[in-house]
Amino acid sequence: TQLLEQSPQFLSIQEGENLTVYCNSSSVFSSLQWYRQEPGEGPVLLVTVVTGGEVKKLKRLTFQFGDARKDSSLHITAAQPGDTGLYLCAGGDAGNNRKLIWGLGTSLAVNP
Amino acid sequence: DTAVSQTPKYLVTQMGNDKSIKCEQNLGHDTMYWYKQDSKKFLKIMFSYNNKELIINETVPNRFSPKSPDKAHLNLHINSLELGDSAVYFCASSQDRRQFPLHFGNGTRLTVT
């Protein structure tokens, strides 16, 4: 059974700090998606990475896909209260392109 | 202008009742999904329809029955509701069956008392 472990599970930081969230597995994924979910809303896609070693930047957010396509990280620079939310990673099953494996999420609180 | 809309937003009902949740997408996508998010925020896929055809049917009790009248609509009917059914149910859509990427609705919070 494929699993995606996210760490840390909870993170509470002050505005302006940097942070990194990790998404790890022992399985290879065809792609890796990152979503952010705010209270009372559905997850919203932030980025999709598909190539091993790929780095994508979205303003203050930097996403990296591991060389072996088994892990990914999300780094936020100078976090703001608006970054608060649940960050979810989801990996595309390399053997079954219809299957998506979800992590348990990282709940981030950025305090002003 | 909402891309994926689902109703109702909140649903409070008693054990044993039957209830339905409706979902509509205006993105022109071929594939729609029902996901369940439990109290620990874990997202678990329940069903997927591609162009009205059921393509994913995870281990879900028979009390849950999806129905897709056309590719823009996917409804979920739940019979004989149980306490354990309490969760947030999300509808989602994607361009095709690869779930790449997913567009989610804002969820229906179901509370069974």
Side-chain angles (χ1 to χ4, degrees):
Chain A
T1 303
Q2 289 180 297
L3 292 173
L4 257 178
E5 294 185 4
Q6 281 190 245
S7 60
Q9 194 174 351
F10 300 97
L11 193 53
S12 180
I13 61 172
Q14 293 300 121
E15 183 176 359
E17 292 184 16
N18 301 333
L19 68 120
T20 302
V21 175
Y22 299 93
C23 180
N24 296 306
S25 176
S26 58
S27 303
V28 176
F29 293 105
S30 57
S31 65
L32 205 295
Q33 305 176 40
W34 283 95
Y35 292 81
R36 179 169 66 215
Q37 183 179 12
E38 298 186 22
E41 299 182 9
V44 175
L45 180 73
L46 295 173
V47 79
T48 302
V49 285
V50 297
T51 306
E54 182 176 3
V55 176
K56 280 193 175 178
K57 292 193 175 184
L58 191 67
K59 297 184 182 178
R60 295 174 295 98
L61 277 60
T62 302
F63 303 85
Q64 185 161 10
F65 201 12
D67 291 341
R69 291 186 289 132
K70 293 182 180 182
D71 53 82
S72 181
S73 63
L74 157 59
H75 182 78
I76 302 179
T77 304
Q80 298 177 1
D83 296 327
T84 293
L86 178 71
Y87 288 81
L88 294 158
C89 63
D93 187 329
N96 178 354
N97 66 7
R98 300 180 193 179
K99 196 173 175 185
L100 208 57
I101 311 298
W102 289 86
L104 281 173
T106 293
S107 183
L108 171 66
V110 182
N111 306 300
Chain B
D1 284 287
T2 304
V4 180
S5 58
Q6 54 184 108
T7 55
K9 174 77 173 170
Y10 299 97
L11 193 49
V12 181
T13 188
Q14 290 184 325
M15 283 175 54
N17 285 348
D18 303 338
K19 289 292 177 186
S20 292
I21 307 171
K22 295 187 175 184
C23 180
E24 176 181 1
Q25 55 97 2
N26 63 6
L27 297 168
H29 287 169
D30 285 343
T31 313
M32 295 185 73
Y33 311 82
W34 279 113
Y35 272 87
K36 179 180 180 180
Q37 188 172 46
D38 61 24
S39 58
K40 295 186 177 181
K41 305 296 185 185
F42 182 62
L43 269 172
K44 182 174 170 57
I45 191 166
M46 301 173 68
F47 303 103
S48 173
Y49 271 77
N50 184 70
N51 253 324
K52 301 194 297 177
E53 177 194 355
L54 181 66
I55 59 171
I56 294 177
N57 185 355
E58 291 295 307
T59 308
V60 176
N62 290 339
R63 300 181 294 101
F64 290 79
S65 53
K67 189 166 286 187
S68 182
D70 55 63
K71 77 172 192 176
H73 295 85
L74 180 61
N75 304 322
L76 182 66
H77 187 76
I78 315 170
N79 290 327
S80 303
L81 278 155
E82 300 178 358
L83 292 176
D85 297 332
S86 295
V88 181
Y89 293 84
F90 285 100
C91 176
S93 72
S94 63
Q95 183 66 55
D96 55 40
R97 60 182 66 195
R98 290 176 298 166
Q99 302 194 55
F100 194 146
L102 287 167
H103 295 256
F104 285 87
N106 281 334
T108 295
R109 181 174 292 278
L110 171 65
T111 303
V112 183
T113 61

